[in-house]
Amino acid sequence: MALKDWIFLSFLIVKCFFVVKVEGMVQEKEDATIPITTLSPPEGNTTFLGGTTWCVARAGARQFDLQNALDWACGLGMADCRPIQAGGPCFEPNTLLSHASFAFNTYYQQNGNSDIACNFGGTAILTKINPSHEKCIYVTSSPRIENMKSEAPPFTKERLSIMWSKIAMILLLLYSGS
C-alpha cells in the first residue's frame, strides 16, 4: 500500500474518532437537559401571537434570488411543491412570484411558523392576508410536523461508536486489498 493511501486512511480513522467523540458529547448534553413545561408559545411563532400568518414571496425581489430560493424550498427544504407543478391546483398563475409564494408558505408552515423559516435570503415576507385563491389553498399549519415521531431507536454513544468502527474497518479492508 502506498504511503499516500496510509496517510489518507489514518486521516479518515482520526476523523471518524472525532466525529464519534463530538456526537457523543452532543448526545450527552441533550440527554442531560431537563425539559421545562411552559404555556407560552415558542419564540418567533407569530401564528399564536398575532393571528394566522402566511409566508409569501416579496414583490420586487430579484428573479434570480427568487428562483434560487424556490429551488431550495422545493429541494433541500422539502416543501411539497406538487401543487405548483403543471396541472396542479396552484400552477396558475404561472409566475415565479406565485410559485415561490406557495413554496415559501409550505416550508414556513412545516417548520413551525418561525420568523426565520420565512426569510429565504430576504425574498420572503410574512402577511396576515390569506393568499389562497380559487382551488389553490395555502396551508396554515402542517400535520406532518405534529405527527412526526420516529419509531427508530435513538443513536446512543455506544451505537454511534460501533457504527463508525465498522465503517473504519470496511475502509481499512478496502484499502489494504488494493
Side-chain angles (χ1 to χ4, degrees):
M1 184 182 286
L3 179 62
K4 68 178 182 176
D5 290 338
W6 277 109
I7 292 171
F8 173 75
L9 187 58
S10 298
F11 173 75
L12 192 58
I13 291 171
V14 168
K15 186 174 181 180
C16 289
F17 172 78
F18 283 115
V19 167
V20 168
K21 286 298 177 189
V22 170
E23 292 280 337
M25 288 189 310
V26 171
Q27 184 69 31
E28 287 172 9
K29 173 84 172 163
E30 185 179 303
D31 291 344
T33 60
I34 299 171
I36 299 171
T37 306
T38 178
L39 299 177
S40 63
E43 274 186 47
N45 191 329
T46 54
T47 297
F48 297 108
L49 298 177
T52 303
T53 56
W54 293 266
C55 179
V56 295
R58 184 184 299 272
R62 292 181 351 165
Q63 298 284 306
F64 178 79
D65 294 335
L66 272 178
Q67 186 64 59
N68 281 340
L70 173 61
D71 292 344
W72 184 88
C74 294
L76 293 175
M78 299 188 330
D80 181 6
C81 294
R82 290 175 294 184
I84 57 175
Q85 293 174 352
C90 299
F91 180 72
E92 296 293 338
N94 184 12
T95 65
L96 181 57
L97 193 67
S98 177
H99 289 181
S101 291
F102 184 86
F104 293 176
N105 184 66
T106 302
Y107 177 84
Y108 169 71
Q109 301 297 338
Q110 286 175 346
N111 287 279
N113 305 68
S114 170
D115 291 345
I116 195 133
C118 184
N119 186 324
F120 298 96
T123 63
I125 190 168
L126 289 174
T127 182
K128 291 185 180 189
I129 300 169
N130 187 345
S132 299
H133 54 88
E134 298 170 10
K135 293 184 279 182
C136 182
I137 307 300
Y138 281 59
V139 294
T140 54
S141 68
S142 175
R144 194 169 111 183
I145 294 296
E146 296 159 8
N147 297 327
M148 200 172 0
K149 287 189 178 177
S150 174
E151 295 187 20
F155 273 114
T156 62
K157 186 176 179 182
E158 292 78 24
R159 285 186 65 204
L160 203 54
S161 295
I162 291 169
M163 180 183 73
W164 282 111
S165 298
K166 287 180 180 180
I167 290 172
M169 290 302 291
I170 291 170
L171 290 172
L172 183 62
L173 290 172
L174 288 173
Y175 271 93
S176 64
S178 58

